[in-house]
PDB file of all heavy atoms in Angstrom:
ATOM      1  N   SER A1356     -10.130 -65.077  22.941  1.00 96.00           N
ATOM      2  CA  SER A1356     -10.407 -65.520  21.568  1.00 96.00           C
ATOM      3  C   SER A1356     -10.676 -64.322  20.667  1.00 96.00           C
ATOM      4  O   SER A1356     -10.221 -64.285  19.517  1.00 96.00           O
ATOM      5  CB  SER A1356     -11.604 -66.476  21.538  1.00 96.00           C
ATOM      6  OG  SER A1356     -11.300 -67.679  22.184  1.00 96.00           O
ATOM      7  N   GLY A1357     -11.400 -63.334  21.190  1.00 96.00           N
ATOM      8  CA  GLY A1357     -11.660 -62.125  20.418  1.00 96.00           C
ATOM      9  C   GLY A1357     -10.379 -61.388  20.064  1.00 96.00           C
ATOM     10  O   GLY A1357     -10.212 -60.924  18.927  1.00 96.00           O
ATOM     11  N   LEU A1358      -9.459 -61.282  21.026  1.00 96.00           N
ATOM     12  CA  LEU A1358      -8.173 -60.628  20.755  1.00 96.00           C
ATOM     13  C   LEU A1358      -7.402 -61.371  19.670  1.00 96.00           C
ATOM     14  O   LEU A1358      -6.813 -60.763  18.776  1.00 96.00           O
ATOM     15  CB  LEU A1358      -7.326 -60.563  22.034  1.00 96.00           C
ATOM     16  CG  LEU A1358      -7.829 -59.660  23.154  1.00 96.00           C
ATOM     17  CD1 LEU A1358      -6.953 -59.814  24.400  1.00 96.00           C
ATOM     18  CD2 LEU A1358      -7.856 -58.200  22.695  1.00 96.00           C
ATOM     19  N   TYR A1359      -7.426 -62.695  19.745  1.00 97.00           N
ATOM     20  CA  TYR A1359      -6.663 -63.508  18.793  1.00 97.00           C
ATOM     21  C   TYR A1359      -7.278 -63.541  17.403  1.00 97.00           C
ATOM     22  O   TYR A1359      -6.642 -64.013  16.463  1.00 97.00           O
ATOM     23  CB  TYR A1359      -6.495 -64.937  19.330  1.00 97.00           C
ATOM     24  CG  TYR A1359      -5.477 -65.045  20.433  1.00 97.00           C
ATOM     25  CD1 TYR A1359      -5.839 -65.401  21.722  1.00 97.00           C
ATOM     26  CD2 TYR A1359      -4.128 -64.777  20.189  1.00 97.00           C
ATOM     27  CE1 TYR A1359      -4.897 -65.494  22.738  1.00 97.00           C
ATOM     28  CE2 TYR A1359      -3.195 -64.862  21.198  1.00 97.00           C
ATOM     29  CZ  TYR A1359      -3.582 -65.223  22.470  1.00 97.00           C
ATOM     30  OH  TYR A1359      -2.647 -65.298  23.468  1.00 97.00           O
ATOM     31  N   GLN A1360      -8.498 -63.050  17.268  1.00 96.00           N
ATOM     32  CA  GLN A1360      -9.146 -63.051  15.955  1.00 96.00           C
ATOM     33  C   GLN A1360      -9.111 -61.681  15.283  1.00 96.00           C
ATOM     34  O   GLN A1360      -9.774 -61.468  14.270  1.00 96.00           O
ATOM     35  CB  GLN A1360     -10.577 -63.572  16.092  1.00 96.00           C
ATOM     36  CG  GLN A1360     -10.586 -65.062  16.464  1.00 96.00           C
ATOM     37  CD  GLN A1360     -11.979 -65.623  16.672  1.00 96.00           C
ATOM     38  OE1 GLN A1360     -12.812 -65.544  15.771  1.00 96.00           O
ATOM     39  NE2 GLN A1360     -12.233 -66.180  17.837  1.00 96.00           N
ATOM     40  N   ALA A1361      -8.279 -60.775  15.803  1.00 94.00           N
ATOM     41  CA  ALA A1361      -8.147 -59.447  15.185  1.00 94.00           C
ATOM     42  C   ALA A1361      -7.598 -59.594  13.766  1.00 94.00           C
ATOM     43  O   ALA A1361      -6.859 -60.533  13.451  1.00 94.00           O
ATOM     44  CB  ALA A1361      -7.228 -58.574  16.026  1.00 94.00           C
ATOM     45  N   ASP A1362      -7.949 -58.645  12.916  1.00 94.00           N
ATOM     46  CA  ASP A1362      -7.591 -58.712  11.498  1.00 94.00           C
ATOM     47  C   ASP A1362      -6.089 -58.710  11.232  1.00 94.00           C
ATOM     48  O   ASP A1362      -5.647 -59.204  10.196  1.00 94.00           O
ATOM     49  CB  ASP A1362      -8.226 -57.539  10.735  1.00 94.00           C
ATOM     50  CG  ASP A1362      -9.737 -57.676  10.624  1.00 94.00           C
ATOM     51  OD1 ASP A1362     -10.247 -58.799  10.815  1.00 94.00           O
ATOM     52  OD2 ASP A1362     -10.402 -56.655  10.370  1.00 94.00           O
ATOM     53  N   ASP A1363      -5.311 -58.146  12.172  1.00 93.00           N
ATOM     54  CA  ASP A1363      -3.865 -58.068  11.938  1.00 93.00           C
ATOM     55  C   ASP A1363      -3.112 -59.289  12.464  1.00 93.00           C
ATOM     56  O   ASP A1363      -1.891 -59.334  12.422  1.00 93.00           O
ATOM     57  CB  ASP A1363      -3.289 -56.789  12.559  1.00 93.00           C
ATOM     58  CG  ASP A1363      -3.501 -56.727  14.072  1.00 93.00           C
ATOM     59  OD1 ASP A1363      -4.301 -57.526  14.605  1.00 93.00           O
ATOM     60  OD2 ASP A1363      -2.873 -55.863  14.713  1.00 93.00           O
ATOM     61  N   ARG A1364      -3.843 -60.290  12.933  1.00 96.00           N
ATOM     62  CA  ARG A1364      -3.230 -61.514  13.467  1.00 96.00           C
ATOM     63  C   ARG A1364      -3.119 -62.542  12.341  1.00 96.00           C
ATOM     64  O   ARG A1364      -4.016 -63.362  12.143  1.00 96.00           O
ATOM     65  CB  ARG A1364      -4.072 -62.092  14.607  1.00 96.00           C
ATOM     66  CG  ARG A1364      -4.296 -61.166  15.786  1.00 96.00           C
ATOM     67  CD  ARG A1364      -3.036 -60.993  16.604  1.00 96.00           C
ATOM     68  NE  ARG A1364      -3.334 -60.347  17.875  1.00 96.00           N
ATOM     69  CZ  ARG A1364      -3.103 -60.889  19.062  1.00 96.00           C
ATOM     70  NH1 ARG A1364      -2.556 -62.076  19.155  1.00 96.00           N
ATOM     71  NH2 ARG A1364      -3.387 -60.225  20.157  1.00 96.00           N
ATOM     72  N   HIS A1365      -2.041 -62.515  11.603  1.00 96.00           N
ATOM     73  CA  HIS A1365      -1.872 -63.466  10.503  1.00 96.00           C
ATOM     74  C   HIS A1365      -1.228 -64.762  10.982  1.00 96.00           C
ATOM     75  O   HIS A1365      -1.543 -65.833  10.478  1.00 96.00           O
ATOM     76  CB  HIS A1365      -1.056 -62.829   9.380  1.00 96.00           C
ATOM     77  CG  HIS A1365      -1.680 -61.575   8.871  1.00 96.00           C
ATOM     78  ND1 HIS A1365      -2.837 -61.575   8.119  1.00 96.00           N
ATOM     79  CD2 HIS A1365      -1.344 -60.273   9.047  1.00 96.00           C
ATOM     80  CE1 HIS A1365      -3.171 -60.324   7.837  1.00 96.00           C
ATOM     81  NE2 HIS A1365      -2.288 -59.514   8.389  1.00 96.00           N
ATOM     82  N   TYR A1366      -0.319 -64.673  11.950  1.00 96.00           N
ATOM     83  CA  TYR A1366       0.240 -65.880  12.583  1.00 96.00           C
ATOM     84  C   TYR A1366      -0.122 -65.949  14.063  1.00 96.00           C
ATOM     85  O   TYR A1366      -0.559 -66.975  14.549  1.00 96.00           O
ATOM     86  CB  TYR A1366       1.761 -65.968  12.434  1.00 96.00           C
ATOM     87  CG  TYR A1366       2.284 -67.144  13.235  1.00 96.00           C
ATOM     88  CD1 TYR A1366       2.027 -68.448  12.819  1.00 96.00           C
ATOM     89  CD2 TYR A1366       2.972 -66.958  14.438  1.00 96.00           C
ATOM     90  CE1 TYR A1366       2.440 -69.541  13.577  1.00 96.00           C
ATOM     91  CE2 TYR A1366       3.395 -68.046  15.189  1.00 96.00           C
ATOM     92  CZ  TYR A1366       3.123 -69.338  14.761  1.00 96.00           C
ATOM     93  OH  TYR A1366       3.527 -70.408  15.516  1.00 96.00           O
ATOM     94  N   HIS A1367       0.043 -64.841  14.780  1.00 96.00           N
ATOM     95  CA  HIS A1367      -0.165 -64.828  16.239  1.00 96.00           C
ATOM     96  C   HIS A1367      -1.647 -64.719  16.566  1.00 96.00           C
ATOM     97  O   HIS A1367      -2.070 -63.819  17.287  1.00 96.00           O
ATOM     98  CB  HIS A1367       0.642 -63.697  16.880  1.00 96.00           C
ATOM     99  CG  HIS A1367       2.115 -63.901  16.778  1.00 96.00           C
ATOM    100  ND1 HIS A1367       2.864 -63.412  15.725  1.00 96.00           N
ATOM    101  CD2 HIS A1367       2.975 -64.576  17.583  1.00 96.00           C
ATOM    102  CE1 HIS A1367       4.132 -63.767  15.895  1.00 96.00           C
ATOM    103  NE2 HIS A1367       4.222 -64.473  17.006  1.00 96.00           N
ATOM    104  N   GLY A1368      -2.410 -65.632  16.016  1.00 96.00           N
ATOM    105  CA  GLY A1368      -3.854 -65.616  16.177  1.00 96.00           C
ATOM    106  C   GLY A1368      -4.372 -66.885  16.825  1.00 96.00           C
ATOM    107  O   GLY A1368      -3.620 -67.671  17.408  1.00 96.00           O
ATOM    108  N   ILE A1369      -5.661 -67.094  16.667  1.00 97.00           N
ATOM    109  CA  ILE A1369      -6.322 -68.205  17.357  1.00 97.00           C
ATOM    110  C   ILE A1369      -5.813 -69.556  16.880  1.00 97.00           C
ATOM    111  O   ILE A1369      -5.748 -70.516  17.662  1.00 97.00           O
ATOM    112  CB  ILE A1369      -7.869 -68.085  17.233  1.00 97.00           C
ATOM    113  CG1 ILE A1369      -8.579 -69.012  18.232  1.00 97.00           C
ATOM    114  CG2 ILE A1369      -8.326 -68.331  15.802  1.00 97.00           C
ATOM    115  CD1 ILE A1369      -8.403 -68.630  19.678  1.00 97.00           C
ATOM    116  N   ARG A1370      -5.399 -69.684  15.620  1.00 96.00           N
ATOM    117  CA  ARG A1370      -4.888 -70.986  15.154  1.00 96.00           C
ATOM    118  C   ARG A1370      -3.587 -71.345  15.855  1.00 96.00           C
ATOM    119  O   ARG A1370      -3.319 -72.524  16.112  1.00 96.00           O
ATOM    120  CB  ARG A1370      -4.706 -70.981  13.633  1.00 96.00           C
ATOM    121  CG  ARG A1370      -6.024 -71.108  12.894  1.00 96.00           C
ATOM    122  CD  ARG A1370      -5.821 -71.273  11.418  1.00 96.00           C
ATOM    123  NE  ARG A1370      -4.944 -70.212  10.919  1.00 96.00           N
ATOM    124  CZ  ARG A1370      -5.122 -69.548   9.790  1.00 96.00           C
ATOM    125  NH1 ARG A1370      -6.143 -69.835   9.024  1.00 96.00           N
ATOM    126  NH2 ARG A1370      -4.299 -68.610   9.428  1.00 96.00           N
ATOM    127  N   HIS A1371      -2.767 -70.337  16.152  1.00 97.00           N
ATOM    128  CA  HIS A1371      -1.532 -70.577  16.911  1.00 97.00           C
ATOM    129  C   HIS A1371      -1.878 -71.095  18.305  1.00 97.00           C
ATOM    130  O   HIS A1371      -1.276 -72.066  18.789  1.00 97.00           O
ATOM    131  CB  HIS A1371      -0.720 -69.279  16.989  1.00 97.00           C
ATOM    132  CG  HIS A1371       0.483 -69.347  17.864  1.00 97.00           C
ATOM    133  ND1 HIS A1371       1.449 -70.324  17.756  1.00 97.00           N
ATOM    134  CD2 HIS A1371       0.906 -68.536  18.876  1.00 97.00           C
ATOM    135  CE1 HIS A1371       2.401 -70.124  18.661  1.00 97.00           C
ATOM    136  NE2 HIS A1371       2.080 -69.048  19.362  1.00 97.00           N
ATOM    137  N   ILE A1372      -2.860 -70.489  18.950  1.00 98.00           N
ATOM    138  CA  ILE A1372      -3.275 -70.927  20.284  1.00 98.00           C
ATOM    139  C   ILE A1372      -3.826 -72.349  20.211  1.00 98.00           C
ATOM    140  O   ILE A1372      -3.492 -73.204  21.044  1.00 98.00           O
ATOM    141  CB  ILE A1372      -4.317 -69.959  20.878  1.00 98.00           C
ATOM    142  CG1 ILE A1372      -3.731 -68.541  20.992  1.00 98.00           C
ATOM    143  CG2 ILE A1372      -4.822 -70.463  22.225  1.00 98.00           C
ATOM    144  CD1 ILE A1372      -2.417 -68.445  21.742  1.00 98.00           C
ATOM    145  N   GLU A1373      -4.650 -72.618  19.216  1.00 97.00           N
ATOM    146  CA  GLU A1373      -5.215 -73.968  19.065  1.00 97.00           C
ATOM    147  C   GLU A1373      -4.117 -75.000  18.832  1.00 97.00           C
ATOM    148  O   GLU A1373      -4.193 -76.125  19.353  1.00 97.00           O
ATOM    149  CB  GLU A1373      -6.235 -73.980  17.928  1.00 97.00           C
ATOM    150  CG  GLU A1373      -7.507 -73.218  18.265  1.00 97.00           C
ATOM    151  CD  GLU A1373      -8.389 -72.944  17.063  1.00 97.00           C
ATOM    152  OE1 GLU A1373      -7.936 -73.147  15.901  1.00 97.00           O
ATOM    153  OE2 GLU A1373      -9.541 -72.513  17.276  1.00 97.00           O
ATOM    154  N   ALA A1374      -3.091 -74.640  18.061  1.00 97.00           N
ATOM    155  CA  ALA A1374      -1.984 -75.567  17.823  1.00 97.00           C
ATOM    156  C   ALA A1374      -1.244 -75.873  19.119  1.00 97.00           C
ATOM    157  O   ALA A1374      -0.887 -77.034  19.392  1.00 97.00           O
ATOM    158  CB  ALA A1374      -1.030 -74.983  16.784  1.00 97.00           C
TER     159      ALA A1374
END
Side-chain angles (χ1 to χ4, degrees):
S1356 293
L1358 292 174
Y1359 285 115
Q1360 292 178 57
D1362 290 342
D1363 60 347
R1364 301 288 192 120
H1365 303 289
Y1366 174 71
H1367 294 91
I1369 195 67
R1370 284 187 308 222
H1371 173 52
I1372 300 307
E1373 290 167 349

